[in-house]
Amino acid sequence: MSIVISRLRVDSMEQPLGLETRQPRFSWVLDSNRRSERQSAYRIMVASAVEGLQQDIGDLWDSGKITSDRSVQIRYAGAPLQSAAAYCWKVQVWDRNGVPSDWSPVASFSMGLLGQDEWKGEWIGKTVDPALELPPGLYLRKEFAIDRPIKRAVLYSTALGVYEMYLNGSRVGDHYFAPGWTDYAVRTQYQTYDVTGLVQAGGNALGAVLGTGWYSGHVGMMGRHRYGISPALLSQLQLEYEDGTTDLISSDRSWTMNSGPIQYSDMLMGEWYDAGLEWPGWNEPGFDEAASHWQRAEQLPRYGGRLVSQIDPPVRITESLKPVKVWRSERGSYLFDLGQNMVGWVKLQTSGPAGTRITVRHAEMLEDDDNLYTVNLRKAEQKDTYILKGNGLETLEPHFTFHGFRYVEVEGLTEEPTLESVTGQVVHSDTPHSGSIETSDPMINQLISNIRWGQRGNYLSVPTDCPQRDERLGWTGDAQIFIRTASYNMDVSRFFTKFMADMTDAQTEAGAFPDVAPDAGWFEWKQEHVQWFAPDNSGWGDAGVIIPWTLYLMYEDRSILEENYDAMKRWVDYLKANSSRLVRPDYANYGDWLSINADTPNDVLATAYFAYSTLLFSRIAGVLGREEDACSYSEQYGRIREAFVREFMDENGIIKGDTQTVYVLALYFGLLPDDQKSSAIRRLEQLIQSNGGHLSTGFLGVGYLLPALTENGLEELAYDLLHKDTFPSWLYSVKHGATTIWERWDGWTDHSGFQNPGMNSFNHYSLGSVGEWMYRYMAGIDADPEQPGFKHLVIKPCPGGKLTYVKAQYESSYGTIGSSWRVDNGRFALSITVPVNTTAAVHLPGQPVQVPEGAEKLGEEQGKHRYVVGSGQYEFVSSLNK
Ligand code: RAM
């Protein structure tokens, strides 16, 4: 068989549950051991039962043979999909010679509750006294009986707050912090779990634990009760019996409730858990409620927002770390070093007499050998407290809180711990792994690892800035500058589709995208604390255009452009309305945030980003065939460019502010006419050189610094910056033992120790946006906007610096792309992998020595020889000697 089908996805997920899209999109990956293989046609079948598909009957949809080379994001076009129904599907393709493949394996998907009126339950919980600073967790239960054989059982549930569900004593699903963070005033996500394997004949019991979460617990610096006061649960278990009948067990006042071991559990304030107060068997049938005084649950007010199925991947434990060291402090406590700054919590295993109180504190750094550095947490308490029940070995983990830490201090142990006593549970939105890079330089490899860990730690339901202090907000500027890096490291398509909903929920009526999403009252809080504050920070709000564009480029996702088109247009129009002669005013509050002695003037920054958003929007309009918008916004981009030069560039080519960032943005956003580009390039080079060969860029400039240098013939300078390990540089923190990206270039320095603890996170990914350059330029794996999603890809490696080899892989929607190179005595050897059903343009540096069969020469561009290849593996060799 020349072509084999795998990785069947619906809306970018394998076997998804609870879809709400009426026309979901199908994708698959093709494999073949033949070069230049591609799909010439496909046929999709969707059925309500596997049996149908086995006989080649797609009772909902049989696309028939469609002549097309499209194998990703193909829209369903069959009979209407029904609420809560389960479906299966398969696909067959024809290869380039018209030979059909075998049918793929059968895959499945299910629909969510497609109308708000399908929710039959009541919101239940317990009214919380608003004066209670840290309310206890609430335990809820409900017994029911099953008297006929079950065919399918599906649980739909959600909460205002955070929840865990149990069925017959087993945890339902492996999600943490469900339903995830949204602006609950507008929308709340619900979860869908297939629990067919958990229900049993006879007595059954559902149990739920409810915590405050983002809904009513502490959020950011703004304090608690951001959305409400009393957490509430909504759930419905849909039972389908073999005999065709159905049943519904929904949340209502027949449920009972009680408090339990969770004395409190707050995102920012940690947890207090008294194991002595556990209710053995509370989530199983037959539990004696009367003996333990469970009360009827209260019905809480009806929810006014919209319930939507969870879009983003759930938060999960994705790894468990063992400490690398344990030692005893002078105080008698024990300290553990996990060897990695991480986000999640500690699983503690210990024993001791009943009533023993144990505290676990967490920090990213040490002040000295015996003391955690916790002043940078501000008001957050990274502390969990446990009271032992005293029945032998106890395993303790918090429920509704998370911490950012590498070091752990445990106090109160009555027995000497070992390295086994502590496990670091790594927790984040479970975005699938998609890319990796390795180089010949261990320092760069550590930087790559730090970037990945920064992403893991901070992508937790929303892209947060940091995981430790009382902040942890969805800062949009950080999100946009890092998204391209992020989308190489992991498949973030769903994660950012959800975040775009948060962004548009928070867009102001006037059209401004926020600094922070979901909205949690941050802007109002800020206005109370400073005199005046801009609602539209450049580089932050622009995330509203940059994110959809990036998802389109990386995943060929047109829907994200369609769904957000009006919102993006409102943003660009808002910028125009708030500009004067197309120059944006001087109120970009953050500037090039955390640059080093190089303040970029706000008006220059804001006008540059205004141009960039306009440019991207005009392209987006073009993609969607909205020609009129495409023309008028592209023309507007041209006029903003003119305004930029007129307003900010003097006759010697100096741009106002004269920082590295002003030139980087002007070059990368294409703001300069050709005849003025070379002076900007020269000036950028000079600024770096006169700064001792160091960068000075902040959050915004840093992302485009190496791309701007590389695209303008200064790749050696880009490599010099990459390899630098003196302050400020990427490797400076690596040299000082960093295992994540620091918020600031000077989070800790030889010359002044720790920075101001008021803002000093050691796990902030923004300065790690250099990862994009590593994938796109160093390894040279890039998308082509003309055929996005890597349907046609660009391999344009850029050897340089001290590197003797680079190996990169990226799992695209079409399959694995590889680009690895090695330099030896001026001999450059490139080995690439191009997925089936795609083509690649290869830009080979140097003089070609060996060109593989099947590579068709296209010409030369910027000193590189260009070839085009079909799928397969190819080796190129060239000579770099001049
Ligand atoms: C800080 C955040 C974030 C940044 C803003 C401007 O408080 O940590 O990273 O985007 O400020």
Side-chain angles (χ1 to χ4, degrees):
M1 188 55 55
S2 74
I3 203 160
V4 175
I5 309 169
S6 66
R7 279 190 57 208
L8 270 67
R9 284 152 290 150
V10 185
D11 280 359
S12 308
M13 294 171 280
E14 293 185 31
Q15 326 272 18
L17 296 178
L19 292 183
E20 277 185 355
T21 32
R22 314 264 171 160
Q23 267 101 39
R25 289 157 291 156
F26 298 96
S27 307
W28 55 88
V29 163
L30 299 171
D31 282 304
S32 170
N33 47 22
R34 266 207 337 226
R35 270 192 182 167
S36 298
E37 190 51 275
R38 61 184 173 78
Q39 171 188 302
S40 59
Y42 68 82
R43 180 178 179 191
I44 299 175
M45 266 187 203
V46 179
S48 46
V50 183
E51 295 73 32
L53 281 191
Q54 279 160 353
Q55 294 163 35
D56 287 348
I57 301 172
D59 57 341
L60 278 120
W61 188 37
D62 181 347
S63 69
K65 181 176 173 184
I66 308 276
T67 303
S68 163
D69 67 349
R70 297 205 54 211
S71 53
V72 312
Q73 309 263 19
I74 293 165
R75 269 184 200 286
Y76 175 78
L81 299 171
Q82 304 299 322
S83 188
Y87 297 107
C88 49
W89 70 289
K90 63 179 185 177
V91 57
Q92 178 180 37
V93 303
W94 282 259
D95 72 8
R96 65 166 197 233
N97 298 322
V99 178
S101 72
D102 283 343
W103 281 99
S104 70
V106 172
S108 65
F109 64 97
S110 80
M111 302 305 286
L113 299 179
L114 296 182
Q116 301 291 303
D117 56 352
E118 308 238 357
W119 287 93
K120 304 296 180 204
E122 294 163 0
W123 288 88
I124 56 171
K126 184 178 187 335
T127 307
V128 171
D129 174 357
L132 256 186
E133 188 63 31
L134 292 165
L138 186 66
Y139 292 73
L140 292 143
R141 69 186 309 277
K142 161 81 184 171
E143 293 203 22
F144 60 97
I146 290 185
D147 58 2
R148 281 156 289 162
I150 282 278
K151 185 168 157 222
R152 178 170 173 247
V154 181
L155 178 71
Y156 301 90
S157 51
T158 185
L160 296 172
V162 278
Y163 75 95
E164 282 178 3
M165 275 291 211
Y166 294 84
L167 184 51
N168 297 329
S170 300
R171 175 92 138 80
V172 173
D174 52 2
H175 299 204
Y176 288 90
F177 309 126
W181 188 4
T182 49
D183 180 348
Y184 303 107
V186 182
R187 77 173 84 204
T188 298
Q189 304 203 107
Y190 66 85
Q191 286 64 49
T192 306
Y193 310 96
D194 189 322
V195 292
T196 315
L198 291 181
V199 289
Q200 60 195 24
N204 285 264
L206 273 167
V209 190
L210 199 52
T212 50
W214 297 282
Y215 177 72
S216 54
H218 292 79
V219 174
M221 337 51 164
M222 297 85 73
R224 60 208 175 97
H225 299 168
R226 301 320 309 164
Y227 306 95
I229 296 169
S230 305
L233 177 82
L234 178 70
S235 101
Q236 73 189 43
L237 172 60
Q238 301 199 174
L239 301 170
E240 282 174 38
Y241 297 101
E242 291 283 4
D243 65 7
T245 55
T246 59
D247 246 337
L248 199 60
I249 313 292
S250 3
S251 48
D252 58 25
R253 270 158 296 175
S254 69
W255 289 51
T256 53
M257 65 177 180
N258 211 335
S259 57
I262 299 178
Q263 303 294 288
Y264 65 78
S265 192
D266 181 282
M267 291 288 188
L268 298 184
M269 297 301 174
E271 174 160 325
W272 184 300
Y273 186 89
D274 187 342
L277 300 177
E278 285 173 4
W279 300 111
W282 73 277
N283 50 19
E284 291 168 45
F287 174 70
D288 188 352
E289 291 185 359
S292 45
H293 310 294
W294 287 59
Q295 300 162 3
R296 292 246 157 258
E298 284 173 40
Q299 183 183 351
L300 296 177
R302 252 197 110 65
Y303 176 57
R306 210 151 61 82
L307 292 172
V308 297
S309 185
Q310 175 159 359
I311 300 172
D312 56 326
V315 174
R316 293 197 174 98
I317 297 178
T318 63
E319 192 177 346
S320 296
L321 297 184
K322 278 280 150 222
V324 293
K325 195 176 155 201
V326 53
W327 69 102
R328 191 169 191 272
S329 74
E330 279 190 3
R331 287 186 296 286
S333 61
Y334 289 89
L335 288 128
F336 295 81
D337 176 3
L338 284 151
Q340 172 65 52
N341 197 16
M342 57 159 279
V343 175
W345 55 77
V346 160
K347 177 168 91 180
L348 178 71
Q349 289 187 292
T350 189
S351 52
T356 306
R357 185 207 286 195
I358 293 177
T359 58
V360 186
R361 293 166 61 238
H362 309 73
E364 300 183 289
M365 301 285 261
L366 292 177
E367 244 159 34
D368 54 50
D369 268 2
D370 268 5
N371 289 295
L372 301 181
Y373 172 77
T374 53
V375 276
N376 67 335
L377 302 180
R378 305 197 302 222
K379 289 191 189 126
E381 281 266 2
Q382 297 211 106
K383 181 164 105 180
D384 299 330
T385 305
Y386 300 109
I387 311 294
L388 299 187
K389 62 182 169 212
N391 65 342
L393 189 65
E394 296 182 45
T395 301
L396 301 154
E397 286 180 74
H399 297 77
F400 302 128
T401 189
F402 66 92
H403 314 296
F405 62 101
R406 168 175 171 171
Y407 300 97
V408 177
E409 180 173 12
V410 185
E411 281 180 282
L413 293 173
T414 57
E415 58 179 29
E416 168 126 14
T418 66
L419 288 178
E420 303 302 311
S421 310
V422 157
T423 308
Q425 305 282 51
V426 177
V427 174
H428 53 91
S429 289
D430 195 7
T431 48
H433 170 102
S434 62
S436 59
I437 312 192
E438 184 197 308
T439 75
S440 53
D441 184 336
M443 294 279 279
I444 307 279
N445 293 344
Q446 184 64 48
L447 174 63
I448 293 168
S449 167
N450 295 3
I451 294 170
R452 182 179 295 280
W453 274 97
Q455 179 171 350
R456 292 178 80 182
N458 281 297
Y459 279 18
L460 197 148
S461 190
V462 306
T464 64
D465 60 326
C466 61
Q468 70 301 83
R469 66 178 179 230
D470 60 347
E471 188 149 0
R472 316 184 193 187
L473 299 173
W475 283 96
T476 53
D478 308 39
Q480 69 85 357
I481 205 68
F482 190 71
I483 186 177
R484 195 76 185 269
T485 302
S487 56
Y488 276 104
N489 281 334
M490 300 181 204
D491 176 353
V492 294
S493 53
R494 307 288 306 172
F495 181 77
F496 275 107
T497 302
K498 138 80 169 61
F499 189 62
M500 272 314 292
D502 297 329
M503 292 274 304
T504 48
D505 284 349
Q507 189 172 24
T508 67
E509 259 176 42
F513 279 125
D515 295 353
V516 162
D519 183 23
W522 179 86
F523 186 63
E524 293 71 20
W525 181 88
K526 189 74 191 176
Q527 276 184 318
E528 258 172 46
H529 289 75
V530 294
Q531 281 210 318
W532 187 83
F533 203 71
D536 53 357
N537 279 292
S538 58
W540 271 255
D542 300 284
V545 180
I546 295 171
I547 291 173
W549 174 249
T550 308
L551 296 187
Y552 173 69
L553 269 186
M554 296 298 283
Y555 307 109
E556 203 176 327
D557 184 356
R558 288 169 64 98
S559 308
I560 193 84
L561 304 182
E562 281 157 8
E563 281 157 19
N564 294 287
Y565 190 80
D566 293 340
M568 294 188 274
K569 187 168 178 175
R570 285 174 56 216
W571 165 248
V572 178
D573 290 349
Y574 170 91
L575 295 178
K576 175 155 184 248
N578 290 279
S579 63
S580 148
R581 298 173 68 220
L582 296 177
V583 170
R584 291 266 293 134
D586 186 23
Y587 58 68
N589 293 294
Y590 312 127
D592 184 21
W593 187 244
L594 302 181
S595 60
I596 295 289
N597 304 324
D599 286 345
T600 291
N602 295 344
D603 49 358
V604 180
L605 196 80
T607 306
Y609 262 98
F610 173 30
Y612 190 48
S613 272
T614 308
L615 169 68
L616 294 185
F617 184 70
S618 71
R619 286 189 188 155
I620 289 167
V623 167
L624 298 182
R626 310 209 190 193
E627 293 312 331
E628 224 175 276
D629 281 354
C631 273
S632 70
Y633 287 90
S634 141
E635 197 221 319
Q636 180 174 308
Y637 166 67
R639 284 187 289 120
I640 306 171
R641 291 175 76 212
E642 283 163 23
F644 184 89
V645 173
R646 176 190 76 222
E647 208 68 27
F648 301 128
M649 200 168 194
D650 73 11
E651 59 285 0
N652 303 316
I654 300 295
I655 299 177
K656 182 175 167 187
D658 201 27
T659 58
Q660 294 175 18
T661 292
V662 297
Y663 297 100
V664 166
L665 296 186
L667 289 166
Y668 195 81
F669 294 168
L671 304 182
L672 306 177
D674 282 347
D675 56 341
Q676 266 144 343
K677 261 175 82 174
S678 55
S679 69
I681 298 165
R682 263 199 327 276
R683 185 63 190 148
L684 175 59
E685 187 179 15
Q686 270 170 15
L687 284 172
I688 295 169
Q689 272 154 3
S690 63
N691 198 29
H694 289 109
L695 49 74
S696 66
T697 47
F699 275 28
L700 299 182
V702 69
Y704 306 123
L705 175 62
L706 301 196
L709 291 173
T710 310
E711 284 188 356
N712 290 290
L714 294 175
E715 55 261 34
E716 271 313 321
L717 186 54
Y719 271 105
D720 287 349
L721 289 170
L722 181 72
H723 283 303
K724 266 263 167 327
D725 66 0
T726 46
F727 176 77
S729 65
W730 285 286
L731 295 190
Y732 184 74
S733 64
V734 172
K735 196 171 71 179
H736 288 98
T739 57
T740 36
I741 300 294
W742 296 352
E743 176 172 26
R744 323 176 70 125
W745 297 115
D746 54 359
W748 186 92
T749 56
D750 295 300
H751 47 276
S752 24
F754 284 113
Q755 244 286 3
N756 178 350
M759 219 186 74
N760 200 19
S761 148
F762 289 93
N763 196 355
H764 236 79
Y765 53 69
S766 297
L767 299 180
S769 55
V770 64
E772 170 180 347
W773 178 84
M774 294 183 183
Y775 280 104
R776 291 180 59 205
Y777 298 86
M778 183 175 85
I781 300 176
D782 206 354
D784 176 354
E786 296 304 316
Q787 291 185 66
F790 297 91
K791 175 72 174 132
H792 178 67
L793 51 121
V794 179
I795 305 247
K796 200 176 185 177
C798 181
K802 297 184 224 156
L803 298 184
T804 55
Y805 77 82
V806 167
K807 284 188 203 162
Q809 272 208 345
Y810 173 66
E811 196 57 43
S812 74
S813 306
Y814 291 91
T816 312
I817 299 171
S819 171
S820 301
W821 54 258
R822 185 174 282 283
V823 182
D824 191 5
N825 259 330
R827 181 179 183 273
F828 177 77
L830 172 69
S831 154
I832 64 168
T833 307
V834 179
V836 170
N837 207 28
T838 70
T839 50
V842 182
H843 298 237
L844 186 68
Q847 282 312 310
V849 171
Q850 185 189 309
V851 173
E853 213 180 292
E856 192 189 318
K857 179 136 193 188
L858 290 181
E860 269 185 63
E861 197 184 286
Q862 293 174 328
K864 292 188 172 172
H865 292 256
R866 284 172 58 224
Y867 303 87
V868 67
V869 294
S871 71
Q873 296 195 335
Y874 302 88
E875 318 278 332
F876 292 80
V877 179
S878 65
S879 163
L880 299 178
N881 295 328
K882 301 267 151 64

PDB file of all heavy atoms in Angstrom, residues 355-371:
ATOM      1  N   GLY A 355      -3.419  14.382  63.818  1.00  0.00           N
ATOM      2  CA  GLY A 355      -3.370  15.756  64.305  1.00  0.00           C
ATOM      3  C   GLY A 355      -2.046  16.456  64.028  1.00  0.00           C
ATOM      4  O   GLY A 355      -1.931  17.667  64.216  1.00  0.00           O
ATOM      5  N   THR A 356      -1.059  15.734  63.505  1.00  0.00           N
ATOM      6  CA  THR A 356       0.225  16.378  63.175  1.00  0.00           C
ATOM      7  C   THR A 356      -0.010  17.422  62.082  1.00  0.00           C
ATOM      8  O   THR A 356      -0.667  17.132  61.080  1.00  0.00           O
ATOM      9  CB  THR A 356       1.236  15.320  62.636  1.00  0.00           C
ATOM     10  OG1 THR A 356       1.329  14.282  63.586  1.00  0.00           O
ATOM     11  CG2 THR A 356       2.585  15.941  62.355  1.00  0.00           C
ATOM     12  N   ARG A 357       0.534  18.616  62.288  1.00  0.00           N
ATOM     13  CA  ARG A 357       0.347  19.655  61.261  1.00  0.00           C
ATOM     14  C   ARG A 357       1.635  19.804  60.421  1.00  0.00           C
ATOM     15  O   ARG A 357       2.713  20.017  60.957  1.00  0.00           O
ATOM     16  CB  ARG A 357       0.040  20.995  61.913  1.00  0.00           C
ATOM     17  CG  ARG A 357      -0.278  22.046  60.847  1.00  0.00           C
ATOM     18  CD  ARG A 357       0.039  23.421  61.290  1.00  0.00           C
ATOM     19  NE  ARG A 357      -0.954  23.880  62.250  1.00  0.00           N
ATOM     20  CZ  ARG A 357      -1.100  25.145  62.597  1.00  0.00           C
ATOM     21  NH1 ARG A 357      -0.344  26.083  62.055  1.00  0.00           N
ATOM     22  NH2 ARG A 357      -1.989  25.497  63.485  1.00  0.00           N
ATOM     23  N   ILE A 358       1.464  19.695  59.136  1.00  0.00           N
ATOM     24  CA  ILE A 358       2.619  19.783  58.230  1.00  0.00           C
ATOM     25  C   ILE A 358       2.391  20.915  57.251  1.00  0.00           C
ATOM     26  O   ILE A 358       1.301  21.044  56.691  1.00  0.00           O
ATOM     27  CB  ILE A 358       2.796  18.448  57.467  1.00  0.00           C
ATOM     28  CG1 ILE A 358       3.187  17.381  58.491  1.00  0.00           C
ATOM     29  CG2 ILE A 358       3.837  18.565  56.370  1.00  0.00           C
ATOM     30  CD1 ILE A 358       3.333  16.024  57.924  1.00  0.00           C
ATOM     31  N   THR A 359       3.410  21.750  57.055  1.00  0.00           N
ATOM     32  CA  THR A 359       3.251  22.788  56.038  1.00  0.00           C
ATOM     33  C   THR A 359       4.266  22.560  54.923  1.00  0.00           C
ATOM     34  O   THR A 359       5.396  22.135  55.168  1.00  0.00           O
ATOM     35  CB  THR A 359       3.458  24.208  56.605  1.00  0.00           C
ATOM     36  OG1 THR A 359       4.759  24.267  57.176  1.00  0.00           O
ATOM     37  CG2 THR A 359       2.426  24.552  57.654  1.00  0.00           C
ATOM     38  N   VAL A 360       3.815  22.864  53.738  1.00  0.00           N
ATOM     39  CA  VAL A 360       4.677  22.753  52.558  1.00  0.00           C
ATOM     40  C   VAL A 360       4.709  24.130  51.911  1.00  0.00           C
ATOM     41  O   VAL A 360       3.665  24.648  51.503  1.00  0.00           O
ATOM     42  CB  VAL A 360       4.106  21.710  51.566  1.00  0.00           C
ATOM     43  CG1 VAL A 360       5.072  21.499  50.409  1.00  0.00           C
ATOM     44  CG2 VAL A 360       3.808  20.397  52.259  1.00  0.00           C
ATOM     45  N   ARG A 361       5.888  24.734  51.864  1.00  0.00           N
ATOM     46  CA  ARG A 361       6.009  26.061  51.252  1.00  0.00           C
ATOM     47  C   ARG A 361       6.843  25.954  49.978  1.00  0.00           C
ATOM     48  O   ARG A 361       7.693  25.076  49.863  1.00  0.00           O
ATOM     49  CB  ARG A 361       6.631  27.046  52.244  1.00  0.00           C
ATOM     50  CG  ARG A 361       5.694  27.306  53.438  1.00  0.00           C
ATOM     51  CD  ARG A 361       6.423  27.995  54.584  1.00  0.00           C
ATOM     52  NE  ARG A 361       6.938  29.286  54.192  1.00  0.00           N
ATOM     53  CZ  ARG A 361       8.229  29.626  54.253  1.00  0.00           C
ATOM     54  NH1 ARG A 361       9.114  28.765  54.694  1.00  0.00           N
ATOM     55  NH2 ARG A 361       8.615  30.823  53.870  1.00  0.00           N
ATOM     56  N   HIS A 362       6.577  26.861  49.062  1.00  0.00           N
ATOM     57  CA  HIS A 362       7.172  26.744  47.726  1.00  0.00           C
ATOM     58  C   HIS A 362       7.825  28.053  47.301  1.00  0.00           C
ATOM     59  O   HIS A 362       7.274  29.121  47.552  1.00  0.00           O
ATOM     60  CB  HIS A 362       6.092  26.415  46.694  1.00  0.00           C
ATOM     61  CG  HIS A 362       5.213  25.256  47.063  1.00  0.00           C
ATOM     62  ND1 HIS A 362       4.251  25.332  48.046  1.00  0.00           N
ATOM     63  CD2 HIS A 362       5.157  24.002  46.565  1.00  0.00           C
ATOM     64  CE1 HIS A 362       3.633  24.159  48.138  1.00  0.00           C
ATOM     65  NE2 HIS A 362       4.166  23.338  47.249  1.00  0.00           N
ATOM     66  N   ALA A 363       8.972  27.950  46.641  1.00  0.00           N
ATOM     67  CA  ALA A 363       9.634  29.152  46.119  1.00  0.00           C
ATOM     68  C   ALA A 363      10.449  28.804  44.882  1.00  0.00           C
ATOM     69  O   ALA A 363      10.849  27.654  44.692  1.00  0.00           O
ATOM     70  CB  ALA A 363      10.540  29.750  47.184  1.00  0.00           C
ATOM     71  N   GLU A 364      10.700  29.850  44.079  1.00  0.00           N
ATOM     72  CA  GLU A 364      11.462  29.632  42.852  1.00  0.00           C
ATOM     73  C   GLU A 364      12.962  29.657  43.081  1.00  0.00           C
ATOM     74  O   GLU A 364      13.726  29.081  42.314  1.00  0.00           O
ATOM     75  CB  GLU A 364      11.135  30.735  41.856  1.00  0.00           C
ATOM     76  CG  GLU A 364       9.686  30.790  41.477  1.00  0.00           C
ATOM     77  CD  GLU A 364       9.458  31.865  40.437  1.00  0.00           C
ATOM     78  OE1 GLU A 364       9.546  33.052  40.798  1.00  0.00           O
ATOM     79  OE2 GLU A 364       9.198  31.514  39.284  1.00  0.00           O
ATOM     80  N   MET A 365      13.354  30.418  44.117  1.00  0.00           N
ATOM     81  CA  MET A 365      14.784  30.616  44.365  1.00  0.00           C
ATOM     82  C   MET A 365      15.034  30.467  45.855  1.00  0.00           C
ATOM     83  O   MET A 365      14.106  30.503  46.657  1.00  0.00           O
ATOM     84  CB  MET A 365      15.202  32.030  43.934  1.00  0.00           C
ATOM     85  CG  MET A 365      14.958  32.370  42.480  1.00  0.00           C
ATOM     86  SD  MET A 365      16.130  31.591  41.361  1.00  0.00           S
ATOM     87  CE  MET A 365      17.280  32.934  41.090  1.00  0.00           C
ATOM     88  N   LEU A 366      16.314  30.387  46.210  1.00  0.00           N
ATOM     89  CA  LEU A 366      16.694  30.389  47.625  1.00  0.00           C
ATOM     90  C   LEU A 366      17.335  31.732  47.929  1.00  0.00           C
ATOM     91  O   LEU A 366      18.047  32.298  47.089  1.00  0.00           O
ATOM     92  CB  LEU A 366      17.715  29.294  47.895  1.00  0.00           C
ATOM     93  CG  LEU A 366      17.236  27.847  47.783  1.00  0.00           C
ATOM     94  CD1 LEU A 366      18.405  26.902  48.008  1.00  0.00           C
ATOM     95  CD2 LEU A 366      16.121  27.568  48.791  1.00  0.00           C
ATOM     96  N   GLU A 367      17.094  32.215  49.149  1.00  0.00           N
ATOM     97  CA  GLU A 367      17.801  33.419  49.570  1.00  0.00           C
ATOM     98  C   GLU A 367      19.215  33.039  50.004  1.00  0.00           C
ATOM     99  O   GLU A 367      20.181  33.728  49.737  1.00  0.00           O
ATOM    100  CB  GLU A 367      17.061  34.045  50.744  1.00  0.00           C
ATOM    101  CG  GLU A 367      16.523  35.399  50.380  1.00  0.00           C
ATOM    102  CD  GLU A 367      15.399  35.842  51.261  1.00  0.00           C
ATOM    103  OE1 GLU A 367      15.408  35.515  52.462  1.00  0.00           O
ATOM    104  OE2 GLU A 367      14.512  36.525  50.730  1.00  0.00           O
ATOM    105  N   ASP A 368      19.288  31.990  50.754  1.00  0.00           N
ATOM    106  CA  ASP A 368      20.559  31.368  51.127  1.00  0.00           C
ATOM    107  C   ASP A 368      20.244  29.896  51.336  1.00  0.00           C
ATOM    108  O   ASP A 368      19.100  29.473  51.131  1.00  0.00           O
ATOM    109  CB  ASP A 368      21.134  32.030  52.395  1.00  0.00           C
ATOM    110  CG  ASP A 368      20.123  32.016  53.534  1.00  0.00           C
ATOM    111  OD1 ASP A 368      19.570  30.935  53.809  1.00  0.00           O
ATOM    112  OD2 ASP A 368      19.863  33.087  54.120  1.00  0.00           O
ATOM    113  N   ASP A 369      21.194  29.133  51.774  1.00  0.00           N
ATOM    114  CA  ASP A 369      21.008  27.677  51.856  1.00  0.00           C
ATOM    115  C   ASP A 369      19.763  27.232  52.594  1.00  0.00           C
ATOM    116  O   ASP A 369      19.164  26.209  52.281  1.00  0.00           O
ATOM    117  CB  ASP A 369      22.225  27.048  52.544  1.00  0.00           C
ATOM    118  CG  ASP A 369      23.230  26.642  51.501  1.00  0.00           C
ATOM    119  OD1 ASP A 369      22.943  26.909  50.318  1.00  0.00           O
ATOM    120  OD2 ASP A 369      24.269  26.095  51.874  1.00  0.00           O
ATOM    121  N   ASP A 370      19.378  28.006  53.605  1.00  0.00           N
ATOM    122  CA  ASP A 370      18.302  27.556  54.480  1.00  0.00           C
ATOM    123  C   ASP A 370      16.985  28.288  54.293  1.00  0.00           C
ATOM    124  O   ASP A 370      16.017  27.997  54.994  1.00  0.00           O
ATOM    125  CB  ASP A 370      18.742  27.738  55.946  1.00  0.00           C
ATOM    126  CG  ASP A 370      19.410  26.479  56.470  1.00  0.00           C
ATOM    127  OD1 ASP A 370      19.586  25.548  55.666  1.00  0.00           O
ATOM    128  OD2 ASP A 370      19.738  26.441  57.660  1.00  0.00           O
ATOM    129  N   ASN A 371      16.968  29.274  53.402  1.00  0.00           N
ATOM    130  CA  ASN A 371      15.774  30.117  53.329  1.00  0.00           C
ATOM    131  C   ASN A 371      15.243  30.277  51.918  1.00  0.00           C
ATOM    132  O   ASN A 371      15.986  30.600  50.989  1.00  0.00           O
ATOM    133  CB  ASN A 371      16.070  31.494  53.918  1.00  0.00           C
ATOM    134  CG  ASN A 371      16.219  31.419  55.421  1.00  0.00           C
ATOM    135  OD1 ASN A 371      15.268  31.100  56.134  1.00  0.00           O
ATOM    136  ND2 ASN A 371      17.434  31.659  55.899  1.00  0.00           N
TER     137      ASN A 371
END
